[in-house]
């Protein structure tokens, strides 16, 4: 059955309800702040699950966002939140849920690992319940061959062709291996993947990854998990200025000011993982990073004043009476 969902044609199963359309829109179960209109008429929340859709109907799913916010494009889709979060390292699923909710994120990264029979609870169940988009990564891969294999496994496991591509050069710095990274990106793009590569803060490498068809570039601010912030803001600014695809600052974020700086330098989004789960209060840090990303983006759009080496009075001296 074909319907129009938020202005785009979508295929839903025969007998689908309005609640199914809400989930398809990316709004999850449609919590507080979500409203739905069917063919222009508002439908009460209590009726979503019993209202069956018909061929050709138009559904609009609206969600409350921060005033003045606008969407951004990544991988051919529109997103509202510019903060991407990692799911590793939390002390419990409950803590993860609190932090992800506080972050207001829409995209979360997940790693593919061998099944642990002792594991309790499912990260994917939590992600689905929150209505988030799971972005699998190739963390822990040191060769293009391993990364490609892991991406193919992730496609089967998660039912998505999106992949955050990581090919690490050594286990001490966790810096990307540029040669292996480009090789893996070329193969995966050729297989139809939406590739989001974790890369060095190298404008030439970023351009090369864009040229092979990556949907974004994700330069590091500093080594993974270091919390050292953005060590080379000049290079990040060059990458953001030159790129024709979204730029997501990845790795090194330690606190809110780092995230704000990334956005002020021109990044489209920020990925935060250890800065959240490693904080003394992960939900509070997630909330702070959310605000910092929004503030940094707003500041970038507003345009800062020029830096000067001397003072310049903010109030004109015109009209000051001569008291001599």
């Amino acid at each position: 059955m074909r319907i129009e969902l938020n202005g785009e044609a979508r295929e839903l199963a025969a007998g689908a309800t309005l609640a199914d359309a809400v989930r398809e829109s990316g709004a999850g179960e449609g919590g507080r702040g979500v409203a739905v209109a069917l063919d222009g008429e508002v439908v009460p929340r209590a009726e979503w699950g019993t209202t069956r859709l018909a061929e050709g109907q138009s559904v609009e799913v609206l969600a409350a966002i921060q005033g003045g916010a606008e969407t951004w494009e990544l991988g051919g889709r529109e997103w509202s939140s510019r903060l991407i979060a990692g799911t590793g390292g939390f002390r419990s699923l409950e803590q993860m849920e609190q932090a992800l909710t506080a972050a207001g994120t829409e995209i979360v990264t997940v790693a593919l690992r061998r099944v642990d029979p002792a594991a309790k609870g499912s990260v994917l169940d939590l992600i689905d319940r929150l209505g988030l988009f799971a972005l699998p990564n190739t963390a822990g891969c040191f060769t293009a061959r391993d990364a490609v294999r892991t991406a193919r496994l992730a496609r089967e496991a998660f039912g998505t062709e999106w992949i955050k591509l990581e090919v690490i050069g050594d286990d001490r710095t966790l810096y990307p291996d540029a040669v292996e990274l480009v090789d893996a990106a070329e193969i995966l793009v050729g297989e139809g993947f939406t590739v989001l590569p974790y890369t060095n803060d190298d404008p030439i490498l970023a351009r090369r990854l864009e040229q092979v068809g990556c949907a974004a570039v994700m330069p590091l601010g500093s080594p993974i998990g270091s919390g050292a912030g953005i060590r080379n803001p000049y290079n990040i600014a060059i990458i953001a200025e030159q790129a024709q695809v979204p730029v997501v600052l990845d790795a090194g974020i330690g606190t809110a000011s780092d995230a704000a700086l990334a956005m002020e330098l021109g990044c489209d989004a920020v990925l935060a993982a250890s800065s959240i789960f490693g904080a003394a209060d992960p939900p509070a840090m997630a909330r702070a990073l959310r605000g910092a990303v929004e503030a940094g983006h707003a500041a970038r759009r507003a345009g800062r004043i020029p830096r000067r080496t001397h003072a310049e009075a903010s109030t004109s001296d015109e009209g000051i009476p001569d008291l001599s």
Side-chain angles (χ1 to χ4, degrees):
M1 173 178 61
R2 182 180 290 269
I3 66 167
E4 182 178 284
L5 179 59
N6 286 347
E8 296 183 357
R10 295 287 184 90
E11 291 284 346
L12 295 182
T17 66
L18 203 52
D20 295 323
V22 172
R23 285 188 285 270
E24 178 70 17
S25 74
E29 296 301 320
R32 184 170 178 268
V34 176
V36 178
L38 178 61
D39 291 333
E41 296 294 325
V42 176
V43 180
R45 183 184 307 275
E47 297 176 15
W48 293 357
T50 57
T51 302
R52 297 198 177 278
L53 300 175
E55 182 79 21
Q57 285 192 294
S58 174
V59 178
E60 288 186 315
V61 181
L62 306 178
I65 60 174
Q66 183 186 17
E70 84 285 352
T71 61
W72 64 294
E73 186 274 336
L74 176 66
R77 296 180 55 172
E78 296 292 320
W79 308 92
S80 296
S81 173
R82 294 175 182 269
L83 178 59
I84 300 172
T87 57
F90 288 99
R91 292 182 281 278
S92 67
L93 287 176
E94 180 182 10
Q95 184 187 73
M96 182 191 299
E97 180 174 1
Q98 294 171 349
L100 295 181
T101 301
T105 186
E106 295 170 290
I107 304 173
V108 293
T109 60
V110 290
L112 190 64
R113 293 291 185 269
R114 291 193 176 103
V115 173
D116 180 2
K120 295 181 179 181
S122 167
V123 171
L124 278 183
D125 287 345
L126 173 59
I127 291 171
D128 289 342
R129 180 157 54 81
L130 295 179
L132 305 179
F133 180 82
L135 173 62
N137 63 31
T138 62
C141 293
F142 288 82
T143 66
R145 179 181 177 181
D146 285 346
V148 169
R149 176 177 174 274
T150 301
R152 291 168 179 163
L153 287 169
R155 178 168 54 187
E156 293 299 317
F158 298 105
T160 179
E161 292 188 333
W162 286 53
I163 194 73
K164 179 175 182 276
L165 179 61
E166 300 182 22
V167 187
I168 303 303
D170 67 70
D171 57 9
R172 183 171 183 271
T173 66
L174 299 182
Y175 279 156
D177 183 317
V179 175
E180 296 289 307
L181 179 64
V182 173
D183 286 348
E186 287 182 312
I187 294 170
L188 293 174
V189 168
E191 294 184 4
F193 280 88
T194 298
V195 180
L196 311 177
Y198 160 66
T199 179
N200 301 295
D201 57 351
D202 178 352
I204 306 304
L205 178 56
R207 185 172 64 196
R208 175 64 177 142
L209 290 165
E210 181 179 339
Q211 289 171 344
V212 302
C214 291
V217 289
M218 304 180 70
L220 57 82
S222 54
I224 291 174
S226 68
I230 300 175
R231 308 309 296 169
N232 197 339
Y234 180 73
N235 276 17
I236 298 298
I238 292 176
I239 292 171
E241 178 184 349
Q242 294 182 349
Q244 299 301 306
V245 296
V247 176
V248 181
L249 197 286
D250 183 10
I253 294 294
T255 189
S257 58
D258 299 330
L261 175 59
M263 301 304 294
E264 290 174 2
L265 291 171
C267 291
D268 295 279
V270 167
L271 191 152
S274 55
S275 56
I276 297 178
F277 69 70
D281 186 339
M285 180 58 76
R287 194 173 299 110
L289 289 170
R290 176 182 184 176
V293 167
E294 293 168 353
H297 178 62
R300 171 74 178 187
R301 294 188 63 199
R304 64 161 294 136
I305 65 171
R307 289 184 172 88
R308 300 184 175 92
T309 57
H310 56 82
E312 182 169 304
S314 58
T315 303
S316 170
D317 59 6
E318 184 177 348
I320 295 178
D322 185 359
L323 302 179
S324 59

